[in-house]
């Protein structure tokens, strides 16, 4: 893995998250926005799928349901997240988890039919370079699916940047789509994925001002950007 200072900070921060159980805990928040993406992807049994920033591996287990004959690979910059994901997927022989950063994906060219990434891409030190690597490991005709909750067009998440202890990129949907095109992707589209989860009447966490802001955030929803590697 590239030993950059940025990767070192990411590894240390997300190792702390993993050690405190936040890896597994993210499933509750990310599942409602991820299920509609899996629905759109329409995975078939023989596909090879990479999950970039797989965290504790709950999505790897979901991907392994339709992908019965192919391969599901999780990759994460945090070795503690990798350890958790390996343990959580130990009963699934066609799932493997590798340490690695998106700026240097430890895999050969033209391999995967799909790459998915949930709530990770705004942490990547250089999102344009990360998308070029995603493009490299996809085979022609394969597609990339990036889902993020922190983006400019949803004003109810902008406060997260100051609350997080690691650098983030607050880009608009059009900027993300431009990065996809710059990496070589075609048929690039983006959409908002609202979160249907019923909100609390009172919010006591630190990420939102109050319950009304959480509801407004979920109503706009996450940003999904996807594109295809041409060449088939
Ligand atoms: C907010 S967590 C989301 C984890 C998981 N996708 C989920 O939804 O539960 C972000 C994850 O992205 C990983 N990550 C951040 N930057 C990365 C990079 N440059 N390369 C690979 N993984 C990265 C982190 O280690 C962390 O596990």
């Amino acid at each position: 893995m590239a030993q950059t200072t940025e990767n070192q900070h990411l590894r240390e921060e997300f190792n702390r998250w993993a050690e405190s159980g936040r890896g597994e805990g993210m499933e509750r928040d990310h599942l409602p926005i991820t299920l509609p993406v899996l629905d759109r992807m329409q995975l078939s049994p023989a596909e090879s799928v990479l999950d970039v920033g797989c965290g504790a591996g709950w999505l790897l287990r979901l991907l392994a349901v339709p992908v019965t004959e192919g391969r599901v690979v999780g990759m994460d910059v945090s070795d503690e997240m990798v350890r958790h994901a390996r343990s959580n997927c130990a009963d699934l022989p066609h799932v493997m988890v590798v340490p690695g950063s998106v700026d240097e994906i430890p895999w050969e060219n033209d391999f995967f039919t799909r790459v998915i990434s949930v709530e990770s891409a705004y942490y990547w030190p250089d999102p344009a370079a990360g998308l070029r690597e995603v493009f490299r490991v996809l085979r022609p005709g394969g597609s990339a699916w990036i889902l993020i909750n922190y983006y400019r067009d949803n004003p109810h998440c902008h406060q997260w940047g100051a609350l997080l202890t690691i650098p983030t990129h607050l880009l608009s949907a059009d900027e993300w789509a431009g990065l996809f095109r710059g990496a070589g992707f075609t048929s690039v589209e983006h959409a908002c994925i609202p979160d249907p989860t019923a909100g609390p009447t009172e919010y006591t966490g630190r990420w939102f001002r109050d319950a009304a802001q959480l509801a407004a955030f979920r109503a706009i929803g996450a940003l999904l950007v996807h594109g295809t590697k041409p060449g088939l």
Side-chain angles (χ1 to χ4, degrees), residues 10 14 26 30 53 55 58 76-78 81 100-102 118-120 125:
L10 285 166
F14 284 106
M26 283 186 277
H30 300 168
W58 59 268
D76 204 287
V77 73
S78 151
M81 287 291 189
S101 172
V102 72
V118 173
E119 273 294 271
S120 178

Side-chain angles (χ1 to χ4, degrees), residues 113 131-132 134-136 138-146 176-190 225-232:
T113 56
L131 285 170
R132 287 196 294 275
V134 168
F135 185 88
R136 179 185 66 75
L138 275 168
R139 69 177 66 160
S143 53
W145 302 72
I146 304 286
W176 277 107
L179 295 184
F180 265 68
R181 291 190 193 94
F185 288 99
T186 56
S187 306
V188 177
E189 292 180 17
H190 59 78
V225 190
H226 60 98
T228 301
K229 179 168 177 171
L232 263 193

Side-chain angles (χ1 to χ4, degrees), residues 122 150-154 157-159 168-172 175-176:
Y122 55 82
Y150 180 69
Y151 64 109
R152 188 162 298 282
D153 313 72
N154 189 339
C157 65
H158 290 192
Q159 67 280 8
T168 49
H169 300 276
L170 184 62
L171 305 182
S172 67
E175 285 170 326
W176 277 107

Side-chain angles (χ1 to χ4, degrees), residues 87-109:
S87 162
N88 290 331
C89 297
D91 57 326
L92 299 170
H94 63 306
V95 173
M96 70 180 289
V97 190
V98 295
S101 172
V102 72
D103 52 60
E104 202 175 308
I105 299 175
W107 216 269
E108 67 204 69
N109 293 352

